[in-house]
Amino acid sequence: MAYGDWIKGKLWSQVRDANTIYDNSREWGFGWWFAYFWKEIAINNRDDRALKEVIADVLAPLFPVNIAAMTSTQQMTEANRVAAALIQVIPEPRDLNARPGHYRTMLTKLLKVGFKEMPYTRVGSSDPLARNMFLDRISVQKSGRPIDVAIAYRGDTRPFETVCLHGGAKARADLGVMNMNQPWHPFSDPVVGSKLYARGASGDNCLYSVNSVAADVSIPVGFPLIEDQNIYSLPTLPATETVRNLSKWNFRMLRDANKKLPVMIAKASVSGVPQATGLFLATDTFLYAVRVKKSVHTQDYVESHFSIKKDQCHERGVRDVKMKNFLAGVQIRRIHLGPRRQNGVIGFVQQLRFYEGGHWVTNPSAQFAMDHFYGDQTVGQAAIRMIRNRFTPIILGEADEAPSPMPHVTQIDQWNLTFDQFNAYRSSNPANFYYGAVP
C-alpha cells in the first residue's frame, strides 16, 4: 500500500477542496506559506497521489501510528473519524523549529503539486521561441559578430536611487526575506530555491522565485498589482457592489489603504462617459527598461503545461536583473479604473531617466552606448529613440475588464485627495461619478 492511501472517502474530498488547512494569520509564517503553495493545487492533470501524501503528512498526528498496516475498512473508519474532527483550521505546528526538515519536505511536496520549474531560453538566439519572447530587439556588433539584444520592461515600486542601492532587481527568494531562509522553507534548500517556478492554478510566475518582465509596456504598467495584498492593502466591499462604488468608501477604508504602500484617491478629467471628471484609485510607481540575455517564456510554458487559456498570461520571467542591465526608467502616477490590473491602468509619466556611468541621467551621452551596446553609437541612439517611443507621456495598460462605458482619463487634476476633499466632491456629485474597488 502506498503512503497516503488512507486519505480516502469524505476526508479526501473535504481536505482536497478546503480553502485553508493551517492557520495562516501570521504573515509569512508556516501556515501562510502552506496557503500560498496550497492555492495552486487546482490544476488540470493533478498528481492526486502526491497530494494525498501531503495531506497524510499534515494529518499524521490524528491517525494511529499503525494506520498503514490496517485493513482498508479500518482505514476508512479512521478517515471518517478524522474528517468529523476537522471542524476548524489546524494550528501551526508546535514542533516546527524542532523538526524543520520534516516540514520542509512537506512544503516541498506541496510545491511540486501545483508549481513547475520553467526552463531558460537565451533570448539572443535564433530559436523561434526566443524570437517571440520580446518585441524590442536590436542587432549589435560584439567582437566583430552580430548579436541580438532584447529589451524588456518591468514594473517596480522602487525609485531610481533605491534600485542602484540594491544593485538591480533580485528575486525575493534570493534576498532572505519573508522567512524563505528558514530551515523549514523549501527555498532554503539551494536545489529547490534556485529554480524559477510557474504557478499552476494562477497560470503565471511564482511571486518569489521569479522577477516578471514583459515584451512591452502595456502589461508592466499594471505591476506591481494593486490587488497584491503583500504590497497594497486595498479594502474590500460587499459582493453586491459594482465597479462604480468608490462613493461607498469611508474614512476607515481610506486610512486602511495606506497601511502598506499607499493607495490614494485622485481627481481626473475623463472622456467617453457622460461626466467630465471622476475620482479614481491611484498609486505612485516606476517602470524600467532592461536588457535581457536569458529568460523563461512563462506564457508559452503555462499554456502548454497547465492548459491555461491562450493569451491569459503575457509574462516572461528572469531570476534577476543586474544593475548594469538597466537601460532607463520612468516614474509614473497610475490611475486605476478598478481594483485589479485587468480593470484598466493608466500611467502618467512624471520623469524619464537613462542609466549610464553608474548614474541616472535625463539626457544620455555617448557613455550610454559604451555601457550597454559595446560602444556602437548608432545602436545606442536607436535604443534611446525606441525607449522614448515606448515611454510615452500617457501609458495605457490592460483594460479587458474595464467599466462599461469605459472612462478615458485624459489628465490628472488633483493627486491624493484628503478625505475632506473626497467627501466634498461626493456631496456635490452623483454617485456614478466614482470608480473604485470591487471584492
Side-chain angles (χ1 to χ4, degrees), residues 327-409:
L327 299 174
V330 286
Q331 179 187 7
I332 57 175
R333 286 184 163 174
R334 300 192 300 180
I335 299 296
H336 301 267
L337 305 189
R340 300 174 66 243
R341 179 189 76 209
Q342 291 88 345
N343 296 140
V345 182
I346 301 96
F348 287 79
V349 172
Q350 305 301 299
Q351 58 175 316
L352 165 63
R353 293 185 184 180
F354 292 83
Y355 188 71
E356 65 171 35
H359 303 283
W360 292 101
V361 301
T362 303
N363 297 307
S365 66
Q367 186 64 41
F368 184 78
M370 297 297 296
D371 289 348
H372 302 296
F373 298 102
Y374 311 105
D376 190 326
Q377 297 296 324
T378 300
V379 171
Q381 288 301 313
I384 291 170
R385 289 193 298 272
M386 179 184 293
I387 291 169
R388 289 190 188 278
N389 288 336
R390 295 294 184 236
F391 290 149
T392 54
I394 301 178
I395 302 174
L396 301 178
E398 297 173 279
D400 296 339
E401 301 173 14
S404 181
M406 179 179 171
H408 298 281
V409 182

Coordinates of all heavy atoms in Angstrom, one line a residue, residues 327-409:
L327 N 18.5 50.0 -18.5 CA 18.7 51.0 -19.5 C 18.1 52.3 -19.2 O 18.7 53.4 -19.4 CB 18.1 50.4 -20.8 CG 18.7 49.1 -21.4 CD1 17.9 48.7 -22.6 CD2 20.2 49.3 -21.7
A328 N 16.8 52.3 -18.7 CA 16.1 53.5 -18.5 C 14.9 53.2 -17.6 O 14.5 52.1 -17.3 CB 15.6 54.1 -19.8
G329 N 14.3 54.3 -17.1 CA 13.1 54.1 -16.2 C 12.3 55.4 -16.2 O 12.8 56.5 -16.5
V330 N 11.0 55.2 -15.9 CA 10.1 56.4 -15.7 C 9.4 56.2 -14.4 O 9.0 55.1 -13.9 CB 9.1 56.4 -16.8 CG1 9.7 56.9 -18.1 CG2 8.3 55.1 -17.0
Q331 N 9.2 57.4 -13.8 CA 8.3 57.5 -12.6 C 6.9 57.7 -13.1 O 6.7 58.6 -14.0 CB 8.7 58.6 -11.7 CG 7.8 58.8 -10.5 CD 8.1 60.0 -9.6 OE1 9.0 60.8 -10.0 NE2 7.5 60.1 -8.5
I332 N 6.0 57.0 -12.7 CA 4.6 57.2 -13.2 C 3.6 57.3 -12.1 O 3.8 56.8 -11.0 CB 4.2 56.0 -14.1 CG1 4.3 54.7 -13.4 CG2 4.9 56.0 -15.4 CD1 3.7 53.5 -14.2
R333 N 2.5 58.0 -12.3 CA 1.4 58.1 -11.4 C 0.3 57.3 -12.1 O -0.1 57.6 -13.2 CB 1.0 59.5 -11.2 CG 1.9 60.2 -10.3 CD 1.5 61.7 -9.9 NE 2.2 62.1 -8.7 CZ 2.1 63.3 -8.2 NH1 1.3 64.2 -8.8 NH2 2.8 63.7 -7.2
R334 N -0.2 56.3 -11.4 CA -1.1 55.3 -12.0 C -2.6 55.6 -11.6 O -2.8 55.8 -10.4 CB -0.8 53.9 -11.6 CG 0.6 53.4 -12.1 CD 0.7 51.9 -11.9 NE 0.6 51.5 -10.6 CZ 0.7 50.2 -10.2 NH1 1.0 49.3 -11.1 NH2 0.5 49.8 -8.9
I335 N -3.5 55.7 -12.6 CA -4.9 55.8 -12.3 C -5.5 54.4 -12.6 O -5.3 53.9 -13.6 CB -5.5 56.9 -13.2 CG1 -4.9 58.2 -13.0 CG2 -7.1 56.9 -13.0 CD1 -5.2 58.8 -11.6
H336 N -6.2 53.9 -11.6 CA -6.8 52.6 -11.6 C -8.3 52.7 -11.8 O -9.0 53.3 -11.1 CB -6.5 51.8 -10.4 CG -5.1 51.6 -10.1 ND1 -4.3 50.5 -10.5 CD2 -4.2 52.4 -9.4 CE1 -3.1 50.7 -10.1 NE2 -3.0 51.8 -9.4
L337 N -8.8 52.0 -12.9 CA -10.2 52.0 -13.1 C -11.0 51.0 -12.2 O -12.2 51.0 -12.2 CB -10.5 51.7 -14.6 CG -9.9 52.6 -15.6 CD1 -10.4 52.3 -17.0 CD2 -10.0 54.1 -15.3
G338 N -10.2 50.2 -11.5 CA -10.8 49.2 -10.6 C -9.7 48.6 -9.8 O -8.6 49.0 -9.8
P339 N -10.1 47.6 -9.0 CA -9.2 47.0 -8.0 C -8.3 45.9 -8.6 O -7.5 45.3 -7.8 CB -10.1 46.4 -7.0 CG -11.3 46.0 -7.8 CD -11.4 47.0 -8.9
R340 N -8.3 45.6 -9.9 CA -7.5 44.6 -10.5 C -6.8 45.2 -11.7 O -7.4 46.1 -12.4 CB -8.3 43.4 -10.8 CG -8.9 42.7 -9.7 CD -9.9 41.5 -10.1 NE -9.1 40.5 -10.6 CZ -9.2 40.0 -11.9 NH1 -10.1 40.6 -12.7 NH2 -8.5 39.0 -12.3
R341 N -5.7 44.7 -12.1 CA -5.0 45.1 -13.3 C -5.9 45.1 -14.5 O -5.8 46.1 -15.3 CB -3.7 44.2 -13.5 CG -2.9 44.6 -14.7 CD -1.8 43.5 -15.0 NE -2.4 42.4 -15.6 CZ -2.0 41.1 -15.4 NH1 -0.9 40.9 -14.6 NH2 -2.5 40.1 -16.0
Q342 N -6.6 44.0 -14.7 CA -7.4 43.9 -15.9 C -8.6 44.9 -16.0 O -9.2 45.1 -17.0 CB -8.0 42.5 -16.0 CG -7.0 41.4 -16.2 CD -6.4 40.9 -14.9 OE1 -6.5 41.5 -13.9 NE2 -5.7 39.8 -15.0
N343 N -8.9 45.6 -14.8 CA -9.9 46.6 -14.9 C -9.5 47.9 -15.6 O -10.3 48.7 -16.0 CB -10.4 47.0 -13.5 CG -11.0 45.9 -12.7 OD1 -10.7 45.7 -11.5 ND2 -11.8 45.1 -13.3
G344 N -8.2 48.0 -15.8 CA -7.6 49.2 -16.5 C -6.7 50.0 -15.7 O -7.0 50.3 -14.5
V345 N -5.5 50.2 -16.2 CA -4.5 51.1 -15.5 C -3.9 52.1 -16.5 O -3.6 51.7 -17.7 CB -3.3 50.2 -15.0 CG1 -2.3 51.1 -14.2 CG2 -3.9 49.1 -14.0
I346 N -3.9 53.3 -16.1 CA -3.3 54.4 -17.0 C -2.2 55.0 -16.2 O -2.4 55.5 -15.1 CB -4.4 55.5 -17.4 CG1 -5.6 54.8 -18.1 CG2 -3.8 56.5 -18.2 CD1 -6.7 54.5 -17.2
G347 N -1.0 55.0 -16.9 CA 0.2 55.6 -16.2 C 0.5 56.9 -16.8 O 0.7 57.1 -18.1
F348 N 0.7 58.0 -16.0 CA 1.1 59.3 -16.4 C 2.5 59.5 -16.0 O 2.9 59.5 -14.9 CB 0.2 60.4 -15.7 CG -1.2 60.5 -16.3 CD1 -2.2 59.6 -15.9 CD2 -1.5 61.4 -17.2 CE1 -3.5 59.6 -16.4 CE2 -2.8 61.5 -17.8 CZ -3.8 60.6 -17.4
V349 N 3.4 59.6 -17.1 CA 4.8 59.7 -16.8 C 5.2 61.1 -16.2 O 4.8 62.1 -16.7 CB 5.6 59.5 -18.2 CG1 7.1 59.8 -18.0 CG2 5.4 58.1 -18.7
Q350 N 5.9 61.0 -15.1 CA 6.4 62.2 -14.4 C 7.8 62.6 -14.8 O 8.1 63.8 -14.9 CB 6.3 62.0 -12.9 CG 4.9 61.5 -12.4 CD 3.9 62.5 -12.7 OE1 3.9 63.7 -12.3 NE2 2.9 62.1 -13.5
Q351 N 8.7 61.6 -15.0 CA 10.1 61.8 -15.4 C 10.6 60.6 -16.0 O 10.3 59.5 -15.7 CB 10.9 62.3 -14.2 CG 11.0 61.3 -13.1 CD 12.0 61.8 -12.0 OE1 13.1 62.2 -12.3 NE2 11.6 61.7 -10.7
L352 N 11.5 60.8 -17.0 CA 12.3 59.8 -17.7 C 13.7 59.9 -17.5 O 14.3 61.0 -17.6 CB 11.9 59.8 -19.2 CG 12.8 59.0 -20.1 CD1 12.8 57.5 -19.9 CD2 12.5 59.3 -21.6
R353 N 14.4 58.8 -17.1 CA 15.9 58.9 -16.9 C 16.5 57.7 -17.6 O 15.9 56.6 -17.7 CB 16.2 58.9 -15.4 CG 15.8 60.1 -14.7 CD 16.3 60.1 -13.3 NE 15.9 61.3 -12.5 CZ 16.2 61.5 -11.2 NH1 16.9 60.6 -10.6 NH2 15.8 62.5 -10.6
F354 N 17.8 57.9 -18.0 CA 18.6 56.8 -18.6 C 19.7 56.4 -17.6 O 20.2 57.3 -16.9 CB 19.1 57.2 -19.9 CG 18.0 57.4 -21.0 CD1 17.3 58.5 -21.1 CD2 17.7 56.3 -21.8 CE1 16.3 58.7 -22.0 CE2 16.7 56.5 -22.8 CZ 16.0 57.7 -22.9
Y355 N 20.2 55.2 -17.7 CA 21.2 54.7 -16.8 C 22.5 54.6 -17.5 O 22.7 53.8 -18.5 CB 20.9 53.4 -16.1 CG 21.9 53.0 -15.1 CD1 21.9 53.6 -13.8 CD2 22.8 51.9 -15.3 CE1 22.8 53.3 -12.8 CE2 23.7 51.6 -14.3 CZ 23.7 52.2 -13.1 OH 24.5 51.9 -12.1
E356 N 23.5 55.4 -17.2 CA 24.8 55.4 -17.8 C 25.9 55.8 -16.8 O 25.6 56.7 -15.9 CB 24.9 56.3 -19.0 CG 24.7 57.8 -18.7 CD 25.0 58.7 -19.9 OE1 24.7 58.3 -21.0 OE2 25.6 59.8 -19.7
G357 N 27.0 55.2 -16.9 CA 28.2 55.6 -16.0 C 27.9 55.5 -14.5 O 28.4 56.2 -13.7
G358 N 27.0 54.6 -14.2 CA 26.6 54.3 -12.8 C 25.7 55.4 -12.2 O 25.5 55.4 -11.0
H359 N 25.0 56.2 -13.1 CA 24.1 57.2 -12.6 C 22.9 57.3 -13.5 O 22.9 56.8 -14.6 CB 24.8 58.6 -12.6 CG 26.0 58.6 -11.8 ND1 26.0 58.7 -10.4 CD2 27.3 58.6 -12.2 CE1 27.3 58.7 -10.0 NE2 28.1 58.7 -11.0
W360 N 21.8 57.8 -12.9 CA 20.6 58.1 -13.7 C 20.7 59.5 -14.2 O 20.9 60.5 -13.5 CB 19.3 57.9 -12.8 CG 19.1 56.5 -12.4 CD1 19.4 56.0 -11.2 CD2 18.5 55.5 -13.2 NE1 19.0 54.7 -11.2 CE2 18.4 54.3 -12.4 CE3 18.0 55.4 -14.5 CZ2 17.9 53.1 -12.8 CZ3 17.4 54.2 -14.9 CH2 17.4 53.1 -14.1
V361 N 20.5 59.7 -15.6 CA 20.6 61.0 -16.2 C 19.4 61.2 -17.0 O 18.7 60.3 -17.5 CB 21.9 61.1 -17.1 CG1 23.1 60.8 -16.2 CG2 21.8 60.1 -18.2
T362 N 19.1 62.5 -17.3 CA 17.9 62.9 -18.1 C 18.3 62.8 -19.6 O 17.5 62.4 -20.4 CB 17.5 64.3 -17.7 OG1 17.1 64.3 -16.3 CG2 16.2 64.7 -18.5
N363 N 19.5 63.3 -19.9 CA 20.0 63.3 -21.3 C 21.2 62.4 -21.5 O 22.3 62.8 -21.1 CB 20.3 64.8 -21.7 CG 19.1 65.7 -21.7 OD1 18.0 65.4 -22.3 ND2 19.2 66.8 -20.9
P364 N 21.0 61.2 -22.0 CA 22.1 60.3 -22.1 C 23.2 60.8 -23.1 O 22.9 61.5 -24.1 CB 21.5 59.0 -22.6 CG 20.2 59.5 -23.3 CD 19.7 60.7 -22.5
S365 N 24.4 60.4 -22.9 CA 25.5 60.8 -23.7 C 26.1 59.6 -24.5 O 25.5 58.5 -24.5 CB 26.6 61.4 -22.9 OG 27.2 60.4 -22.0
A366 N 27.3 59.7 -25.0 CA 27.9 58.6 -25.7 C 28.2 57.5 -24.8 O 28.4 56.3 -25.2 CB 29.2 59.1 -26.4
Q367 N 28.3 57.8 -23.5 CA 28.6 56.7 -22.5 C 27.5 55.7 -22.5 O 27.7 54.5 -22.1 CB 28.7 57.4 -21.1 CG 29.1 56.4 -20.0 CD 30.5 55.9 -20.2 OE1 31.4 56.6 -20.6 NE2 30.7 54.6 -20.0
F368 N 26.2 56.0 -22.9 CA 25.1 55.1 -22.8 C 25.4 53.9 -23.8 O 25.2 52.7 -23.4 CB 23.8 55.8 -23.3 CG 22.6 54.9 -23.2 CD1 22.0 54.7 -22.0 CD2 22.1 54.4 -24.4 CE1 20.8 53.9 -22.0 CE2 20.9 53.6 -24.3 CZ 20.3 53.3 -23.1
A369 N 25.9 54.2 -25.0 CA 26.2 53.1 -25.9 C 27.5 52.3 -25.4 O 27.5 51.1 -25.6 CB 26.5 53.7 -27.3
M370 N 28.4 53.0 -24.8 CA 29.6 52.3 -24.3 C 29.2 51.3 -23.2 O 29.7 50.2 -23.1 CB 30.6 53.3 -23.7 CG 31.1 54.3 -24.7 SD 32.1 53.5 -26.0 CE 33.5 52.8 -25.0
D371 N 28.2 51.7 -22.3 CA 27.8 50.8 -21.2 C 27.0 49.7 -21.7 O 27.1 48.6 -21.1 CB 27.0 51.7 -20.2 CG 27.9 52.6 -19.4 OD1 29.1 52.5 -19.5 OD2 27.3 53.5 -18.8
H372 N 26.1 49.9 -22.7 CA 25.1 48.9 -23.0 C 25.2 48.2 -24.3 O 24.6 47.2 -24.5 CB 23.7 49.5 -22.8 CG 23.4 50.1 -21.5 ND1 23.4 49.4 -20.3 CD2 23.2 51.4 -21.1 CE1 23.1 50.2 -19.3 NE2 23.0 51.4 -19.7
F373 N 25.9 48.9 -25.3 CA 25.8 48.3 -26.7 C 27.2 48.3 -27.3 O 27.4 48.5 -28.4 CB 24.9 49.2 -27.5 CG 23.5 49.2 -27.0 CD1 22.9 50.2 -26.3 CD2 22.6 48.1 -27.2 CE1 21.6 50.2 -25.8 CE2 21.3 48.0 -26.8 CZ 20.8 49.1 -26.0
Y374 N 28.2 47.9 -26.4 CA 29.6 47.6 -26.9 C 30.2 48.8 -27.7 O 31.0 48.6 -28.6 CB 29.6 46.3 -27.7 CG 28.9 45.2 -27.0 CD1 27.6 44.8 -27.5 CD2 29.4 44.6 -25.9 CE1 26.9 43.8 -26.9 CE2 28.7 43.5 -25.3 CZ 27.5 43.1 -25.8 OH 26.8 42.1 -25.1
G375 N 29.7 50.0 -27.3 CA 30.3 51.2 -27.9 C 29.7 51.6 -29.2 O 30.1 52.6 -29.8
D376 N 28.7 50.8 -29.7 CA 28.1 51.1 -31.0 C 27.1 52.3 -30.8 O 26.0 52.2 -30.4 CB 27.3 49.9 -31.5 CG 26.8 50.0 -33.0 OD1 26.5 51.2 -33.4 OD2 26.8 49.0 -33.7
Q377 N 27.6 53.5 -31.3 CA 26.8 54.7 -31.0 C 25.5 54.7 -31.8 O 24.5 55.3 -31.4 CB 27.6 56.0 -31.4 CG 28.8 56.1 -30.5 CD 28.5 56.3 -29.0 OE1 27.5 57.0 -28.7 NE2 29.3 55.8 -28.1
T378 N 25.5 54.2 -33.0 CA 24.3 54.1 -33.9 C 23.2 53.3 -33.2 O 22.0 53.7 -33.1 CB 24.6 53.5 -35.3 OG1 25.6 54.4 -35.9 CG2 23.3 53.5 -36.1
V379 N 23.6 52.1 -32.7 CA 22.7 51.3 -32.0 C 22.2 52.0 -30.7 O 21.0 51.9 -30.3 CB 23.3 49.9 -31.7 CG1 22.4 49.1 -30.7 CG2 23.5 49.2 -33.0
G380 N 23.1 52.6 -30.0 CA 22.8 53.3 -28.7 C 21.7 54.4 -29.0 O 20.7 54.5 -28.2
Q381 N 21.9 55.2 -30.0 CA 20.9 56.2 -30.3 C 19.5 55.5 -30.8 O 18.5 56.1 -30.4 CB 21.4 57.1 -31.5 CG 22.5 58.0 -31.0 CD 22.1 58.9 -29.9 OE1 21.0 59.6 -29.9 NE2 22.9 59.0 -28.9
A382 N 19.6 54.4 -31.5 CA 18.4 53.7 -31.9 C 17.6 53.2 -30.6 O 16.4 53.3 -30.6 CB 18.7 52.6 -32.8
A383 N 18.4 52.7 -29.6 CA 17.8 52.2 -28.4 C 17.1 53.4 -27.6 O 16.0 53.2 -27.1 CB 18.8 51.5 -27.6
I384 N 17.8 54.5 -27.6 CA 17.2 55.7 -26.9 C 15.9 56.1 -27.5 O 14.9 56.4 -26.8 CB 18.3 56.8 -26.9 CG1 19.5 56.5 -26.0 CG2 17.6 58.1 -26.4 CD1 20.6 57.5 -26.1
R385 N 15.9 56.2 -28.9 CA 14.7 56.5 -29.6 C 13.6 55.5 -29.3 O 12.4 55.9 -29.0 CB 14.9 56.6 -31.1 CG 15.7 57.8 -31.5 CD 15.7 58.1 -33.0 NE 16.2 56.9 -33.7 CZ 17.5 56.8 -34.0 NH1 18.4 57.7 -33.7 NH2 17.9 55.7 -34.7
M386 N 13.9 54.2 -29.3 CA 12.9 53.2 -29.1 C 12.3 53.3 -27.7 O 11.1 53.2 -27.5 CB 13.6 51.8 -29.2 CG 12.7 50.6 -29.0 SD 13.6 49.1 -29.1 CE 14.0 49.0 -30.8
I387 N 13.2 53.6 -26.7 CA 12.7 53.7 -25.3 C 11.8 54.9 -25.1 O 10.8 54.9 -24.5 CB 13.9 53.7 -24.3 CG1 14.6 52.3 -24.3 CG2 13.5 54.1 -22.9 CD1 15.9 52.3 -23.6
R388 N 12.2 56.0 -25.7 CA 11.4 57.2 -25.6 C 10.0 57.0 -26.3 O 9.0 57.5 -25.7 CB 12.1 58.4 -26.3 CG 13.4 59.0 -25.6 CD 13.8 60.3 -26.2 NE 15.1 60.7 -25.7 CZ 15.2 61.4 -24.6 NH1 14.2 61.7 -23.9 NH2 16.4 61.8 -24.2
N389 N 10.0 56.3 -27.4 CA 8.7 56.0 -28.0 C 7.9 55.1 -27.1 O 6.6 55.2 -27.2 CB 9.0 55.3 -29.4 CG 9.5 56.3 -30.4 OD1 9.3 57.5 -30.3 ND2 10.2 55.8 -31.4
R390 N 8.5 54.2 -26.4 CA 7.7 53.3 -25.5 C 7.2 54.0 -24.3 O 6.0 53.8 -23.9 CB 8.6 52.1 -25.1 CG 9.0 51.2 -26.2 CD 7.9 50.5 -26.8 NE 8.3 49.5 -27.8 CZ 7.9 49.5 -29.1 NH1 7.0 50.4 -29.5 NH2 8.3 48.6 -29.9
F391 N 8.0 54.9 -23.8 CA 7.6 55.7 -22.6 C 6.9 57.0 -23.0 O 7.4 58.1 -22.7 CB 8.8 55.9 -21.7 CG 9.4 54.7 -21.0 CD1 10.7 54.6 -20.7 CD2 8.5 53.6 -20.6 CE1 11.2 53.5 -20.1 CE2 9.0 52.5 -20.0 CZ 10.4 52.4 -19.7
T392 N 5.8 56.8 -23.6 CA 5.0 58.0 -24.0 C 4.4 58.7 -22.8 O 4.4 58.1 -21.7 CB 3.8 57.6 -24.9 OG1 3.1 56.5 -24.2 CG2 4.4 57.0 -26.2
P393 N 4.0 60.0 -22.9 CA 3.5 60.7 -21.7 C 2.4 60.0 -21.0 O 2.3 60.1 -19.8 CB 3.1 62.0 -22.3 CG 3.9 62.2 -23.5 CD 4.1 60.8 -24.1
I394 N 1.5 59.3 -21.7 CA 0.5 58.5 -21.1 C 0.6 57.1 -21.6 O 0.6 56.8 -22.8 CB -1.0 59.0 -21.4 CG1 -1.1 60.5 -21.0 CG2 -2.0 58.2 -20.8 CD1 -2.5 61.1 -21.3
I395 N 0.8 56.1 -20.6 CA 1.0 54.7 -21.0 C -0.3 54.0 -20.6 O -0.7 54.0 -19.4 CB 2.2 54.1 -20.2 CG1 3.4 54.9 -20.5 CG2 2.3 52.7 -20.6 CD1 4.6 54.5 -19.7
L396 N -0.9 53.3 -21.6 CA -2.1 52.6 -21.4 C -1.9 51.1 -21.1 O -1.1 50.5 -21.8 CB -3.0 52.7 -22.6 CG -3.4 54.1 -23.0 CD1 -4.3 54.0 -24.3 CD2 -4.2 54.8 -21.9
G397 N -2.4 50.7 -20.0 CA -2.3 49.3 -19.6 C -3.5 48.4 -20.1 O -4.3 48.9 -20.9
E398 N -3.5 47.2 -19.6 CA -4.6 46.3 -19.9 C -6.0 46.9 -19.4 O -6.0 47.6 -18.4 CB -4.4 45.0 -19.3 CG -3.2 44.2 -19.8 CD -3.0 42.9 -19.0 OE1 -2.4 43.0 -17.9 OE2 -3.4 41.9 -19.5
A399 N -7.0 46.6 -20.1 CA -8.4 47.0 -19.7 C -9.4 46.0 -20.2 O -10.5 46.4 -20.6 CB -8.6 48.4 -20.3
D400 N -9.1 44.7 -20.1 CA -10.0 43.7 -20.5 C -11.3 43.7 -19.7 O -12.4 43.3 -20.2 CB -9.3 42.3 -20.4 CG -8.1 42.2 -21.3 OD1 -8.1 43.0 -22.3 OD2 -7.3 41.3 -21.1
E401 N -11.2 44.1 -18.5 CA -12.4 44.1 -17.6 C -12.7 45.5 -17.1 O -13.2 45.7 -16.0 CB -12.2 43.1 -16.4 CG -11.8 41.7 -16.8 CD -11.4 40.8 -15.7 OE1 -11.6 41.2 -14.5 OE2 -10.9 39.7 -15.9
A402 N -12.6 46.4 -18.0 CA -12.8 47.8 -17.6 C -14.3 48.1 -17.4 O -15.1 47.4 -17.9 CB -12.2 48.8 -18.7
P403 N -14.6 49.2 -16.7 CA -16.0 49.6 -16.6 C -16.6 49.9 -17.9 O -15.9 50.2 -18.9 CB -16.0 50.8 -15.7 CG -14.7 50.8 -15.0 CD -13.7 50.0 -15.9
S404 N -17.9 49.7 -18.0 CA -18.6 50.0 -19.3 C -19.8 50.9 -19.0 O -20.6 50.7 -18.2 CB -19.2 48.7 -19.9 OG -19.8 48.9 -21.1
P405 N -19.8 52.1 -19.7 CA -18.8 52.6 -20.6 C -17.4 52.9 -20.0 O -17.4 53.3 -18.8 CB -19.4 53.8 -21.2 CG -20.3 54.3 -20.1 CD -20.8 53.1 -19.5
M406 N -16.4 52.7 -20.7 CA -15.0 52.9 -20.1 C -14.7 54.4 -20.1 O -14.7 55.1 -21.2 CB -14.0 52.2 -21.0 CG -12.6 52.3 -20.5 SD -11.4 51.4 -21.4 CE -9.8 52.0 -20.7
P407 N -14.3 54.9 -18.9 CA -13.9 56.3 -18.9 C -12.4 56.5 -19.4 O -11.5 55.7 -19.0 CB -13.9 56.7 -17.4 CG -13.7 55.3 -16.7 CD -14.3 54.3 -17.6
H408 N -12.2 57.4 -20.3 CA -10.9 57.6 -20.9 C -10.3 58.8 -20.1 O -10.7 59.9 -20.1 CB -10.9 58.0 -22.3 CG -11.5 56.8 -23.2 ND1 -10.7 55.7 -23.5 CD2 -12.7 56.6 -23.7 CE1 -11.5 54.9 -24.2 NE2 -12.7 55.4 -24.3
V409 N -9.2 58.5 -19.3 CA -8.6 59.5 -18.4 C -7.6 60.3 -19.2 O -6.7 59.8 -19.8 CB -7.9 58.8 -17.2 CG1 -7.3 59.9 -16.3 CG2 -8.9 58.0 -16.4

